[in-house]
Amino acid sequence: MTPKIAAVEIRQHNAITTARYEMTACEMDIVFYLLSLIKKEDERGIMYQVKVKDMMAITGREWHYNQFLEATSNLRSREYIIEDEKRVLQVGLLASAEYIKGEGVIELEVSEKVRPYLIDLKSNFTSFRLHAAFSLTSKYAKRIYQIASQWKDIGESKTFLIHDFKVMLMLKDPKGKEPEQYTKLSMFKKFVLDTAVNQINAHTDLKISYELIKKGRSYQSIRFYINIQAPNQLPLPFDQPIENARHQHAQQILEDLGVKDAKLVQQILTDEKLIDSLFKFNYDLKTGRAKANKNPAGLLLKVLGLR
């Protein structure tokens, strides 16, 4: 039986959304997929299966055994820091990660201490779309997308102190023991805020902007403004078989790149190797590894050996 993605939306407790933690974009993709599998009625100690081919189909990029091994090892050691008025909780996400050799499968076990934050959907949760979360390449875009989704029904976020916001993104150590990243506001805007805004607006169901707020002569705070984009700009639905999602994703990329010739489109969509190469090209293009400002369709066809 063809496997299906378990959920169109990920639902995540806001304590997790605003927690302070550091993850790579690769690690966050694994977490996004894991969150899509978790259900409230799941029993304690359940193992969640993540398949390499499913991750490739959804994210549109290659995944290797060593890449998974490194990412899950890091996820086991990384911690969420969740703080409220009464306590500070330091907790890891994964209790274990077990690889099934020869099957391209990894089984993940969620830490029981963090489980309530992931499955408590009664109140105070954030929902965000799985495909949109995967389509973002910047780890800061992924985090800011989660935060913006928390406020999408209101239209604007709360006002964050820039200090607190950088602490959330692990750009600043609240105890001052580690060097702060992007100390110049211009660099913080360019490499974190503007990159996130551009990717979120281009690839997700949200359109966001931000305002930097001065106190005296310096900027002290930041506020985000969030709108839900028109239905035709929403990401692909993922309540369908993996193969269908993979091909629809490929078709959408071809359309975005400007490949309109029906025969070429059909040729690409009926060849799994060409689809793999298409996903790699698209990922390289989004991450700046490939440059095609004037004619991305032409460069793609050249890369695929079709021109």
Side-chain angles (χ1 to χ4, degrees):
M1 184 175 178
T2 305
K4 291 188 177 184
I5 297 298
V8 174
E9 292 189 341
I10 304 167
R11 300 197 174 218
Q12 177 175 278
H13 197 289
N14 286 344
I16 292 289
T17 301
T18 56
R20 176 159 52 94
Y21 61 87
E22 166 71 10
M23 286 185 191
T24 65
C26 174
E27 291 163 29
M28 277 192 272
D29 281 347
I30 293 174
V31 173
F32 292 153
Y33 188 85
L34 175 61
L35 289 173
S36 75
L37 300 178
I38 292 175
K39 299 183 179 66
K40 186 176 181 179
E41 62 270 19
D42 290 343
E43 297 179 0
R44 294 166 63 96
I46 188 173
M47 303 296 289
Y48 298 95
Q49 284 199 345
V50 177
K51 297 182 179 180
V52 176
K53 67 174 184 177
D54 290 356
M55 291 294 291
M56 291 178 65
I58 299 165
T59 61
R61 57 188 172 92
E62 276 190 84
W63 288 77
H64 304 287
Y65 174 85
N66 288 337
Q67 188 180 25
F68 260 115
L69 195 65
E70 180 181 0
T72 52
S73 177
N74 289 339
L75 284 172
R76 289 210 63 239
S77 62
R78 297 202 192 284
E79 65 178 17
Y80 288 94
I81 301 175
I82 304 170
E83 184 174 358
D84 58 26
E85 295 178 356
K86 296 182 179 180
R87 62 178 184 164
V88 177
L89 173 64
Q90 296 172 298
V91 62
L93 178 70
L94 297 181
S96 68
E98 184 174 356
Y99 287 79
I100 312 301
K101 292 184 177 181
E103 297 183 17
V105 171
I106 176 175
E107 292 188 340
L108 302 178
E109 180 185 7
V110 175
S111 299
E112 287 304 323
K113 197 75 173 180
V114 80
R115 178 179 292 278
Y117 293 99
L118 300 179
I119 64 174
D120 179 12
L121 305 182
K122 292 181 180 178
S123 61
N124 197 32
F125 63 78
T126 297
S127 64
F128 50 99
R129 291 181 180 273
L130 180 56
H131 180 272
F134 280 128
S135 69
L136 304 171
T137 57
S138 162
K139 64 181 181 180
Y140 302 120
K142 290 175 185 288
R143 283 299 311 274
I144 291 173
Y145 177 63
Q146 295 175 62
I147 293 166
S149 294
Q150 180 180 341
W151 303 92
K152 66 183 181 182
D153 295 329
I154 299 173
E156 66 180 69
S157 74
K158 73 173 188 178
T159 300
F160 299 92
L161 290 175
I162 292 176
H163 165 84
D164 293 345
F165 195 71
K166 293 181 88 172
V167 166
M168 281 172 53
L169 299 183
M170 295 295 283
L171 295 171
K172 192 171 185 177
D173 182 353
K175 297 181 180 179
K177 294 181 179 179
E178 299 292 334
E180 180 181 348
Q181 298 182 55
Y182 304 119
T183 54
K184 291 185 178 180
L185 184 64
S186 60
M187 304 301 282
F188 179 53
K189 288 176 61 179
K190 179 179 179 180
F191 292 108
V192 178
L193 298 176
D194 292 344
T195 296
V197 167
N198 290 337
Q199 288 194 12
I200 289 167
N201 291 350
H203 300 293
T204 79
D205 54 316
L206 302 183
K207 187 174 182 63
I208 74 168
S209 59
Y210 65 88
E211 176 188 11
L212 294 171
I213 303 166
K214 275 187 174 180
K215 184 176 182 181
R217 301 182 64 181
S218 62
Y219 291 101
Q220 298 289 328
S221 305
I222 183 171
R223 181 189 299 120
F224 291 92
Y225 298 95
I226 306 103
N227 291 299
I228 298 174
Q229 300 205 60
N232 62 356
Q233 294 173 297
L234 291 176
L236 297 172
F238 273 80
D239 55 352
Q240 54 186 290
I242 287 289
E243 287 78 3
N244 290 355
R246 173 179 166 86
H247 285 81
Q248 286 199 29
H249 188 189
Q251 189 169 9
Q252 183 64 54
I253 292 172
L254 291 172
E255 184 178 327
D256 292 342
L257 293 175
V259 179
K260 300 179 180 178
D261 185 283
K263 290 184 178 179
L264 284 173
V265 170
Q266 183 66 16
Q267 183 177 354
I268 294 168
L269 294 180
T270 53
D271 188 321
E272 295 301 320
K273 290 184 178 179
L274 289 179
I275 292 178
D276 289 341
S277 297
L278 167 65
F279 285 153
K280 184 178 186 303
F281 175 84
N282 187 57
Y283 186 75
D284 288 346
L285 199 63
K286 289 195 295 183
T287 55
R289 297 175 187 175
K291 304 291 183 182
N293 295 331
K294 294 183 179 179
N295 185 15
L299 179 59
L300 169 66
L301 295 177
K302 185 176 180 180
V303 169
L304 297 183
L306 301 178
R307 172 172 289 182

